[in-house]
Amino acid sequence: EWTKAKDEAFAKIVKKAKVDGFRQGHVPASIAKARINPAEVLHEALFTLVNKEYSNVINEEKLTVIAEPKLNVTKVSPDELECTVTVALPPVVTLGEYKGIKVAKETVEVTDEDIKNEINKELNNHATLMVKEEAAENGDTVIIDFKGYIDDVPFDGGEAKAYELKLGSNSFVPGFEDQLVGKSANDLIDVKVTFPKDYHSENVKGKDAIFKCKINEIKRKVSPTLDDNLAVREGFNNLEEMRKFYANTLKNRYRMEMINSYITKICNYLADNSELNISSNDLENRINEIIKFYEQSIAQYGVTLDSYLSMSNMTLDKFKESLKDEAEKSLKIDMIYEYIAIQENITINDNELENYLVNIKKYYNFNDEQIAQLRNEKKDELKKELVREKVSQFLFLKRTINV
């Protein structure tokens, strides 16, 4: 087989060879042999033979491959070829019945109180801060100058000018905001606090401090009046139309929450009641993926993984151990989705992917270049995401409702 593959590869390369004095495809083999790199012949023969044998095995064994095969060449020479091809097959899954699972009848109800609360959230988004003359209350925003002292000595990071602090937000050291409630503009206050023992800054944790504060202004949040005029400004014909819009928005949201709740329950049920083989290597990789997600999340707040573990009084090994159940459950759910997709022949075609990319472009206001990059670099990930959505829809539609 190897000798035959080399001969065929040589003949193929000779046909493409360009030698002065000869037309392409008519170069004598004896002349071409002196000009062709032997390594090129071996390379062509290798991949031609491997692809042929790979296809034969896949077809004969009727294997379903779920990822690109990996080729490992251990020996290649003019006389001998030795290599292995590793393929990823669907996980070994013994899954319980996933169709026709009985569930209680679901209802989606939107109350007047729900609509009122949703509209109030929107009003709050349009609220403005207005200066008030009265004393500060929880919910007010105070504009303060402050400087912190420990043992009568200023400390780093303890000073600011014209700082906007919302009382009741609990964004400062415990007890700080409470001591500003009831105070008025231009008041001077000595705010006494004790930093928590687990505070992130080493130079102040567990210590008593005094913040000398001056309240420059006090502001309260003022929301616009809920009436037809506001509805028109928001793009509606009147207030009633605005209410109907939020009612439909809530109804759709509650329905999606109901669907997601069902899907979560059924996946957890299947994961707990199915035989799913998970390798230690896959488990370790998933734990590392979760840790990487943690790192990226806490980095937004200027916290490193090491400092997070220190604050949590936990070693990296203990942290990994604490994530084991979460990692195992997520791997099982991935396997369940892959298994059902294969069993039910659930796939995503290129048109569905393009429609999804159009929606992404509109939602995130991406340009053509960003979409092209997504298509080129994240195509498989996007298709996998869409397959999961289809499997979720399939599971939801196949449930049996107890009336």
Side-chain angles (χ1 to χ4, degrees), residues 84-282:
T84 58
V85 177
T86 304
V87 296
L89 302 177
V92 178
V93 176
T94 303
L95 198 62
E97 181 55 57
Y98 53 85
K99 291 183 284 189
I101 295 177
K102 294 182 179 180
V103 296
K105 184 177 181 180
E106 308 100 335
T107 57
V108 175
E109 182 181 357
V110 178
T111 66
D112 290 340
E113 187 68 20
D114 292 335
I115 299 171
K116 178 182 176 182
N117 291 336
E118 192 68 15
I119 292 177
N120 284 338
K121 288 179 186 177
E122 188 63 26
L123 291 177
N124 195 49
N125 291 334
H126 292 278
T128 56
L129 290 175
M130 304 290 291
V131 175
K132 61 179 281 189
E133 300 298 329
E134 300 83 9
E137 302 172 278
N138 268 327
D140 288 343
T141 296
V142 292
I143 290 78
I144 58 174
D145 301 334
F146 63 84
K147 189 170 185 178
Y149 296 82
I150 294 177
D151 296 330
D152 297 324
V153 178
F155 58 88
D156 291 340
E159 181 177 8
K161 297 284 187 181
Y163 187 91
E164 292 191 6
L165 174 63
K166 182 178 179 180
L167 301 183
S169 64
N170 297 318
S171 56
F172 266 33
V173 183
F176 188 105
E177 297 168 27
D178 295 339
Q179 296 176 57
L180 299 182
V181 173
K183 305 301 181 182
S184 302
N186 297 315
D187 281 356
L188 301 175
I189 310 105
D190 284 351
V191 176
K192 299 177 181 180
V193 298
T194 300
F195 282 94
K197 292 181 180 179
D198 59 353
Y199 198 70
H200 60 81
S201 181
E202 288 289 339
N203 63 323
V204 300
K205 61 169 51 177
K207 295 182 180 180
D208 295 330
I210 294 177
F211 285 87
K212 293 188 175 295
C213 301
K214 179 188 176 184
I215 298 180
N216 298 314
E217 279 185 324
I218 302 171
K219 295 182 178 181
R220 63 186 176 92
K221 185 175 284 189
V222 179
S223 297
T225 303
L226 180 60
D227 55 19
D228 285 338
N229 291 329
L230 173 65
V232 170
R233 289 200 300 272
E234 290 298 305
F236 301 96
N237 291 320
N238 49 50
L239 183 57
E240 183 58 27
E241 185 179 287
M242 183 176 174
R243 291 184 191 277
K244 288 181 179 179
F245 170 81
Y246 281 106
N248 288 330
T249 299
L250 284 172
K251 187 173 183 179
N252 291 332
R253 183 193 303 168
Y254 289 172
R255 175 172 170 76
M256 286 307 302
E257 289 174 354
M258 177 189 70
I259 293 173
N260 291 335
S261 174
Y262 171 78
I263 296 301
T264 298
K265 290 176 182 177
I266 189 61
C267 284
N268 287 335
Y269 170 80
L270 291 172
D272 293 336
N273 294 276
S274 303
E275 294 182 19
L276 305 165
N277 297 326
I278 296 175
S279 70
S280 57
N281 185 56
D282 286 342

Side-chain angles (χ1 to χ4, degrees), residues 354 357-358 361-362 365-376:
E354 288 305 313
L357 288 171
V358 168
K361 183 178 181 180
K362 290 179 180 178
N365 197 27
F366 280 180
N367 57 38
D368 291 340
E369 185 178 343
Q370 289 170 308
I371 292 298
Q373 185 177 1
L374 267 179
R375 185 185 294 109
N376 294 333

Side-chain angles (χ1 to χ4, degrees), residues 329-346:
K329 178 64 71 69
S330 70
L331 277 171
K332 285 183 175 181
I333 290 174
D334 283 352
M335 292 168 71
I336 289 168
Y337 270 94
E338 290 171 6
Y339 176 83
I340 294 175
I342 292 170
Q343 294 298 309
E344 303 297 334
N345 195 29
I346 297 174

Side-chain angles (χ1 to χ4, degrees), residues 360-390:
I360 291 177
K361 183 178 181 180
K362 290 179 180 178
Y363 188 83
Y364 293 103
N365 197 27
F366 280 180
N367 57 38
D368 291 340
E369 185 178 343
Q370 289 170 308
I371 292 298
Q373 185 177 1
L374 267 179
R375 185 185 294 109
N376 294 333
E377 298 179 6
K378 303 288 186 180
K379 183 176 180 178
D380 290 342
E381 293 177 32
L382 292 173
K383 280 194 169 184
K384 185 175 180 180
E385 184 177 319
L386 288 172
V387 166
R388 285 182 71 100
E389 287 185 12
K390 273 193 173 183

